[in-house]
mmCIF file of all heavy atoms in Angstrom:
data_model
loop_
_atom_site.group_PDB
_atom_site.id
_atom_site.type_symbol
_atom_site.label_atom_id
_atom_site.label_comp_id
_atom_site.label_asym_id
_atom_site.label_seq_id
_atom_site.Cartn_x
_atom_site.Cartn_y
_atom_site.Cartn_z
ATOM 1 N N PHE A 98 8.621 3.991 4.368
ATOM 2 C CA PHE A 98 8.787 4.196 5.802
ATOM 3 C C PHE A 98 7.954 5.403 6.239
ATOM 4 O O PHE A 98 7.983 6.417 5.552
ATOM 5 C CB PHE A 98 10.262 4.440 6.145
ATOM 6 C CG PHE A 98 10.489 4.728 7.604
ATOM 7 C CD1 PHE A 98 10.514 3.693 8.520
ATOM 8 C CD2 PHE A 98 10.629 6.029 8.056
ATOM 9 C CE1 PHE A 98 10.689 3.955 9.879
ATOM 10 C CE2 PHE A 98 10.804 6.295 9.421
ATOM 11 C CZ PHE A 98 10.828 5.255 10.325
ATOM 12 N N PRO A 99 7.237 5.342 7.347
ATOM 13 C CA PRO A 99 7.081 4.206 8.244
ATOM 14 C C PRO A 99 6.095 3.191 7.668
ATOM 15 O O PRO A 99 5.116 3.575 7.019
ATOM 16 C CB PRO A 99 6.535 4.839 9.526
ATOM 17 C CG PRO A 99 5.834 6.080 9.082
ATOM 18 C CD PRO A 99 6.500 6.539 7.831
ATOM 19 N N THR A 100 6.369 1.915 7.937
ATOM 20 C CA THR A 100 5.624 0.845 7.276
ATOM 21 C C THR A 100 4.270 0.637 7.961
ATOM 22 O O THR A 100 3.961 -0.439 8.461
ATOM 23 C CB THR A 100 6.457 -0.443 7.267
ATOM 24 O OG1 THR A 100 6.857 -0.748 8.611
ATOM 25 C CG2 THR A 100 7.706 -0.274 6.429
ATOM 26 N N MET A 101 3.496 1.713 7.965
ATOM 27 C CA MET A 101 2.171 1.715 8.595
ATOM 28 C C MET A 101 1.094 1.800 7.526
ATOM 29 O O MET A 101 1.359 2.200 6.387
ATOM 30 C CB MET A 101 2.040 2.927 9.524
ATOM 31 C CG MET A 101 3.024 2.899 10.681
ATOM 32 S SD MET A 101 3.008 4.480 11.549
ATOM 33 C CE MET A 101 4.313 4.187 12.743
ATOM 34 N N ILE A 121 2.098 11.171 7.569
ATOM 35 C CA ILE A 121 3.428 10.707 7.981
ATOM 36 C C ILE A 121 3.374 9.558 8.985
ATOM 37 O O ILE A 121 4.379 8.896 9.224
ATOM 38 C CB ILE A 121 4.268 11.874 8.549
ATOM 39 C CG1 ILE A 121 3.515 12.544 9.707
ATOM 40 C CG2 ILE A 121 4.561 12.914 7.451
ATOM 41 C CD1 ILE A 121 4.384 12.782 10.894
ATOM 42 N N MET A 122 2.216 9.339 9.602
ATOM 43 C CA MET A 122 1.972 8.174 10.476
ATOM 44 C C MET A 122 0.461 7.958 10.474
ATOM 45 O O MET A 122 -0.286 8.789 9.976
ATOM 46 C CB MET A 122 2.424 8.436 11.910
ATOM 47 C CG MET A 122 3.922 8.464 12.102
ATOM 48 S SD MET A 122 4.334 8.238 13.841
ATOM 49 C CE MET A 122 6.059 8.698 13.788
ATOM 50 N N ILE A 296 7.471 12.482 24.083
ATOM 51 C CA ILE A 296 7.409 11.343 23.156
ATOM 52 C C ILE A 296 6.005 11.205 22.583
ATOM 53 O O ILE A 296 5.025 11.052 23.305
ATOM 54 C CB ILE A 296 7.856 10.046 23.874
ATOM 55 C CG1 ILE A 296 9.293 10.246 24.376
ATOM 56 C CG2 ILE A 296 7.736 8.837 22.940
ATOM 57 C CD1 ILE A 296 9.906 9.045 25.043
ATOM 58 N N GLN A 297 5.913 11.290 21.266
ATOM 59 C CA GLN A 297 4.604 11.196 20.604
ATOM 60 C C GLN A 297 4.264 9.764 20.233
ATOM 61 O O GLN A 297 3.096 9.404 20.131
ATOM 62 C CB GLN A 297 4.591 12.077 19.361
ATOM 63 C CG GLN A 297 4.743 13.538 19.728
ATOM 64 C CD GLN A 297 4.542 14.454 18.571
ATOM 65 O OE1 GLN A 297 4.544 14.031 17.419
ATOM 66 N NE2 GLN A 297 4.381 15.725 18.864
ATOM 67 N N ALA A 298 5.295 8.968 19.954
ATOM 68 C CA ALA A 298 5.082 7.554 19.635
ATOM 69 C C ALA A 298 6.331 6.816 20.092
ATOM 70 O O ALA A 298 7.441 7.316 19.915
ATOM 71 C CB ALA A 298 4.861 7.365 18.135
ATOM 72 N N TYR A 299 6.158 5.636 20.685
ATOM 73 C CA TYR A 299 7.296 4.873 21.192
ATOM 74 C C TYR A 299 7.835 3.888 20.157
ATOM 75 O O TYR A 299 9.026 3.810 19.903
ATOM 76 C CB TYR A 299 6.900 4.130 22.471
ATOM 77 C CG TYR A 299 6.830 5.044 23.679
ATOM 78 C CD1 TYR A 299 5.665 5.734 23.999
ATOM 79 C CD2 TYR A 299 7.940 5.225 24.492
ATOM 80 C CE1 TYR A 299 5.595 6.571 25.110
ATOM 81 C CE2 TYR A 299 7.896 6.059 25.602
ATOM 82 C CZ TYR A 299 6.724 6.732 25.906
ATOM 83 O OH TYR A 299 6.675 7.565 26.998
ATOM 84 N N PHE A 300 6.952 3.117 19.579
ATOM 85 C CA PHE A 300 7.371 2.143 18.581
ATOM 86 C C PHE A 300 6.191 1.804 17.696
ATOM 87 O O PHE A 300 5.050 2.065 18.094
ATOM 88 C CB PHE A 300 7.927 0.872 19.264
ATOM 89 C CG PHE A 300 6.887 0.029 19.942
ATOM 90 C CD1 PHE A 300 6.377 -1.102 19.311
ATOM 91 C CD2 PHE A 300 6.379 0.374 21.187
ATOM 92 C CE1 PHE A 300 5.402 -1.878 19.925
ATOM 93 C CE2 PHE A 300 5.401 -0.397 21.798
ATOM 94 C CZ PHE A 300 4.919 -1.525 21.170
ATOM 95 N N PRO A 301 6.431 1.230 16.536
ATOM 96 C CA PRO A 301 7.703 0.849 15.911
ATOM 97 C C PRO A 301 8.594 2.016 15.494
ATOM 98 O O PRO A 301 9.723 1.796 15.085
ATOM 99 C CB PRO A 301 7.284 0.054 14.680
ATOM 100 C CG PRO A 301 5.880 -0.344 14.927
ATOM 101 C CD PRO A 301 5.280 0.760 15.740
ATOM 102 N N VAL A 302 8.085 3.243 15.594
ATOM 103 C CA VAL A 302 8.925 4.401 15.311
ATOM 104 C C VAL A 302 8.909 5.266 16.562
ATOM 105 O O VAL A 302 7.833 5.602 17.066
ATOM 106 C CB VAL A 302 8.371 5.209 14.117
ATOM 107 C CG1 VAL A 302 9.214 6.451 13.876
ATOM 108 C CG2 VAL A 302 8.291 4.354 12.868
ATOM 109 N N LEU A 303 10.082 5.613 17.071
ATOM 110 C CA LEU A 303 10.132 6.535 18.207
ATOM 111 C C LEU A 303 10.070 7.956 17.637
ATOM 112 O O LEU A 303 10.914 8.339 16.827
ATOM 113 C CB LEU A 303 11.427 6.329 19.006
ATOM 114 C CG LEU A 303 11.648 7.277 20.193
ATOM 115 C CD1 LEU A 303 10.637 7.023 21.309
ATOM 116 C CD2 LEU A 303 13.073 7.147 20.726
ATOM 117 N N ALA A 304 9.049 8.695 18.034
ATOM 118 C CA ALA A 304 8.865 10.053 17.513
ATOM 119 C C ALA A 304 8.858 11.016 18.678
ATOM 120 O O ALA A 304 8.038 10.892 19.588
ATOM 121 C CB ALA A 304 7.549 10.130 16.738
ATOM 122 N N MET A 305 9.794 11.957 18.665
ATOM 123 C CA MET A 305 9.944 12.860 19.804
ATOM 124 C C MET A 305 9.902 14.323 19.404
ATOM 125 O O MET A 305 10.526 14.724 18.422
ATOM 126 C CB MET A 305 11.297 12.602 20.506
ATOM 127 C CG MET A 305 11.376 11.230 21.147
ATOM 128 S SD MET A 305 13.023 10.897 21.800
ATOM 129 C CE MET A 305 13.328 12.357 22.732
ATOM 130 N N LEU A 342 18.213 0.400 19.151
ATOM 131 C CA LEU A 342 17.548 1.689 18.925
ATOM 132 C C LEU A 342 18.604 2.712 18.561
ATOM 133 O O LEU A 342 19.633 2.814 19.224
ATOM 134 C CB LEU A 342 16.800 2.142 20.199
ATOM 135 C CG LEU A 342 16.192 3.550 20.168
ATOM 136 C CD1 LEU A 342 15.144 3.676 19.071
ATOM 137 C CD2 LEU A 342 15.563 3.901 21.532
ATOM 138 N N TYR A 356 12.444 10.616 4.798
ATOM 139 C CA TYR A 356 11.559 10.950 5.917
ATOM 140 C C TYR A 356 12.049 12.175 6.671
ATOM 141 O O TYR A 356 12.309 12.126 7.866
ATOM 142 C CB TYR A 356 11.457 9.734 6.853
ATOM 143 C CG TYR A 356 10.227 9.742 7.743
ATOM 144 C CD1 TYR A 356 8.950 9.727 7.188
ATOM 145 C CD2 TYR A 356 10.332 9.759 9.132
ATOM 146 C CE1 TYR A 356 7.820 9.725 7.991
ATOM 147 C CE2 TYR A 356 9.209 9.751 9.949
ATOM 148 C CZ TYR A 356 7.950 9.739 9.370
ATOM 149 O OH TYR A 356 6.830 9.731 10.167
ATOM 150 N N ILE A 365 12.799 14.659 16.145
ATOM 151 C CA ILE A 365 13.667 13.543 16.512
ATOM 152 C C ILE A 365 12.954 12.218 16.245
ATOM 153 O O ILE A 365 11.797 12.029 16.658
ATOM 154 C CB ILE A 365 14.092 13.637 18.000
ATOM 155 C CG1 ILE A 365 14.887 14.933 18.217
ATOM 156 C CG2 ILE A 365 14.900 12.412 18.423
ATOM 157 C CD1 ILE A 365 15.250 15.198 19.670
ATOM 158 N N ILE A 366 13.642 11.343 15.522
ATOM 159 C CA ILE A 366 13.065 10.048 15.152
ATOM 160 C C ILE A 366 14.026 8.944 15.589
ATOM 161 O O ILE A 366 15.231 9.021 15.338
ATOM 162 C CB ILE A 366 12.861 9.958 13.617
ATOM 163 C CG1 ILE A 366 11.815 10.975 13.131
ATOM 164 C CG2 ILE A 366 12.480 8.537 13.179
ATOM 165 C CD1 ILE A 366 10.386 10.695 13.583
ATOM 166 N N GLY A 367 13.494 7.920 16.237
ATOM 167 C CA GLY A 367 14.314 6.767 16.610
ATOM 168 C C GLY A 367 13.959 5.580 15.738
ATOM 169 O O GLY A 367 12.777 5.255 15.579
ATOM 170 N N MET A 368 14.991 4.977 15.155
ATOM 171 C CA MET A 368 14.776 3.777 14.346
ATOM 172 C C MET A 368 14.904 2.570 15.276
ATOM 173 O O MET A 368 15.950 2.345 15.887
ATOM 174 C CB MET A 368 15.827 3.703 13.225
ATOM 175 C CG MET A 368 15.749 4.864 12.242
ATOM 176 S SD MET A 368 14.175 4.965 11.327
ATOM 177 C CE MET A 368 14.311 3.503 10.279
ATOM 178 N N VAL A 369 13.818 1.823 15.366
ATOM 179 C CA VAL A 369 13.718 0.724 16.322
ATOM 180 C C VAL A 369 14.038 -0.587 15.607
ATOM 181 O O VAL A 369 13.575 -0.815 14.489
ATOM 182 C CB VAL A 369 12.288 0.678 16.920
ATOM 183 C CG1 VAL A 369 12.171 -0.413 17.972
ATOM 184 C CG2 VAL A 369 11.912 2.036 17.510
ATOM 185 N N VAL A 375 9.583 -0.156 22.401
ATOM 186 C CA VAL A 375 10.145 0.899 23.239
ATOM 187 C C VAL A 375 9.047 1.316 24.198
ATOM 188 O O VAL A 375 7.900 1.515 23.778
ATOM 189 C CB VAL A 375 10.604 2.110 22.393
ATOM 190 C CG1 VAL A 375 11.172 3.195 23.287
ATOM 191 C CG2 VAL A 375 11.616 1.687 21.333
ATOM 192 N N HIS A 389 3.895 -3.710 12.859
ATOM 193 C CA HIS A 389 4.589 -3.258 11.650
ATOM 194 C C HIS A 389 4.758 -1.765 11.796
ATOM 195 O O HIS A 389 4.130 -1.162 12.668
ATOM 196 C CB HIS A 389 3.768 -3.613 10.410
ATOM 197 C CG HIS A 389 2.363 -3.085 10.480
ATOM 198 N ND1 HIS A 389 2.029 -1.807 10.077
ATOM 199 C CD2 HIS A 389 1.229 -3.637 10.978
ATOM 200 C CE1 HIS A 389 0.747 -1.619 10.299
ATOM 201 N NE2 HIS A 389 0.222 -2.702 10.855
ATOM 202 N N GLY A 390 5.567 -1.178 10.948
ATOM 203 C CA GLY A 390 5.863 0.249 11.073
ATOM 204 C C GLY A 390 7.368 0.467 11.067
ATOM 205 O O GLY A 390 7.842 1.588 10.880
ATOM 206 N N TYR A 391 8.117 -0.636 11.205
ATOM 207 C CA TYR A 391 9.578 -0.564 11.284
ATOM 208 C C TYR A 391 10.196 -0.139 9.944
ATOM 209 O O TYR A 391 9.508 -0.021 8.923
ATOM 210 C CB TYR A 391 10.128 -1.944 11.681
ATOM 211 C CG TYR A 391 9.693 -2.384 13.059
ATOM 212 C CD1 TYR A 391 8.571 -3.202 13.223
ATOM 213 C CD2 TYR A 391 10.386 -1.975 14.188
ATOM 214 C CE1 TYR A 391 8.162 -3.603 14.489
ATOM 215 C CE2 TYR A 391 9.976 -2.370 15.458
ATOM 216 C CZ TYR A 391 8.864 -3.181 15.600
ATOM 217 O OH TYR A 391 8.461 -3.562 16.845
ATOM 218 N N ASP A 392 11.527 0.002 9.986
ATOM 219 C CA ASP A 392 12.347 0.288 8.806
ATOM 220 C C ASP A 392 11.875 -0.556 7.608
ATOM 221 O O ASP A 392 11.700 -1.773 7.733
ATOM 222 C CB ASP A 392 13.812 -0.068 9.152
ATOM 223 C CG ASP A 392 14.810 0.509 8.168
ATOM 224 O OD1 ASP A 392 14.451 0.715 6.991
ATOM 225 O OD2 ASP A 392 15.966 0.736 8.583
#
Side-chain angles (χ1 to χ4, degrees):
F98 177 79
T100 54
M101 297 170 184
I121 56 134
M122 288 199 193
I296 301 183
Q297 296 188 345
Y299 284 88
F300 71 99
V302 177
L303 177 68
M305 294 174 50
L342 173 62
Y356 201 61
I365 298 175
I366 295 292
M368 297 298 291
V369 183
V375 179
H389 54 86
Y391 296 95
D392 195 332

